[in-house]
Amino acid sequence: MPVIAIPPCSKLPDYEASIRRSGGQPRVLDRASDRPADLVRAVDGLLLAGGGDVQPALYGEAAHPTFSAAEAGRDEYEIELVRLAFDARLPVFAICRGVQLLNVARGGTLIQDIASQLPGSLEHKLEVPPHQPFELAHEVWVDKGSCVATLLGGRLRDADSFAVNSRHHQAAKTLGEGLVVAATAPDGIIEAVEDHAYPFCIGVQWHPENFWRTGEFRELFEGFIKAATR
Ligand code: MN
């Protein structure tokens, strides 16, 4: 059973359940004792989970007033981890903050606060119970040639879009090296990225892990775990 590393975060249960449901074994990391260089040899995949904002200094900007820091040391730890994971060609699946972290690790930048910096944008920070039906959130338009479209093809409507949940106030601005857009919200916010140079590298801005009970977006976790199966 492939072992999937998850750096510690405050909402672990849904991530762990989603990995188990798809046939993987989650391993929650301890930043104090799990050295990234050792870890990438001991696990089969890396999941970058949601959480606080990546420090803007890491992409050369001053902090917006809405900046809400992640746990001390988490940014640096995850950046080292994800870089080593790519060196080792481990499958990487990034969710919400995880996409933002992945993008910054590759030299990209972030929209620090969608609501105030892009007036007129959709509401992306919907504070609803986590597994509410996704009709409550917004649509995403999916690039037909993307891995996201391949995995979630059954969900696509005639117009190449489907609805997602949404609990983020940041998103990728300029993309990091090697990353391409796989899905976009109707207001232009980047909702999914991929790197086709690696066996599995997908990042989504929404929260597929919240749906482990009902199975929506399960194909993303299944594709990830399949790629991590040696
Ligand atoms: Mn969104």
Side-chain angles (χ1 to χ4, degrees), residues 49-73:
D53 299 342
V54 177
Q55 300 160 75
L58 293 172
Y59 50 93
E61 291 192 10
H64 185 273
T66 58
F67 174 66
S68 172
E71 300 86 337

Side-chain angles (χ1 to χ4, degrees), residues 11-204:
K11 294 179 178 172
L12 279 170
D14 281 3
Y15 295 104
E16 294 181 286
S18 293
I19 289 168
R20 288 202 177 93
R21 278 270 165 125
S22 296
Q25 175 63 48
R27 173 173 167 184
V28 179
L29 305 182
D30 179 342
R31 281 195 296 272
S33 59
D34 284 321
R35 292 179 56 240
D38 300 332
L39 257 179
V40 292
R41 287 190 289 270
V43 301
D44 304 300
L46 171 65
L47 190 145
L48 292 172
D53 299 342
V54 177
Q55 300 160 75
L58 293 172
Y59 50 93
E61 291 192 10
H64 185 273
T66 58
F67 174 66
S68 172
E71 300 86 337
R74 184 172 169 186
D75 292 348
E76 293 80 1
Y77 182 80
E78 291 185 352
I79 285 174
E80 183 184 6
L81 194 55
V82 74
R83 285 178 177 160
L84 290 167
F86 283 114
D87 288 347
R89 299 190 68 77
L90 287 181
V92 172
F93 185 25
I95 293 175
C96 199
R97 161 196 156 85
V99 191
Q100 297 154 18
L101 188 285
L102 167 65
N103 192 44
V104 170
R106 289 288 190 84
T109 63
L110 304 180
I111 299 166
Q112 290 199 45
D113 185 55
I114 295 168
S116 63
Q117 295 183 323
L118 294 176
S121 57
L122 292 168
E123 179 59 77
H124 287 271
K125 198 169 171 58
L126 290 174
E127 296 297 346
V128 294
H131 44 277
Q132 280 278 322
F134 30 65
E135 279 73 17
L136 290 176
H138 61 74
E139 295 279 310
V140 295
W141 295 81
V142 178
D143 184 318
K144 267 184 182 158
S146 65
C147 302
V148 169
T150 302
L151 289 171
L152 294 176
R155 181 164 296 283
L156 288 171
R157 299 169 185 172
D158 340 327
D160 302 328
S161 71
F162 52 75
V164 297
N165 57 344
S166 192
R167 289 201 311 281
H168 59 113
H169 83 114
Q170 301 195 329
K173 185 162 63 181
T174 58
L175 283 185
E177 191 182 347
L179 297 175
V180 294
V181 174
T184 313
D187 57 4
I189 292 295
I190 295 171
E191 289 279 340
V193 302
E194 302 177 352
D195 183 342
H196 299 153
Y198 290 91
F200 187 103
C201 171
I202 292 179
V204 297

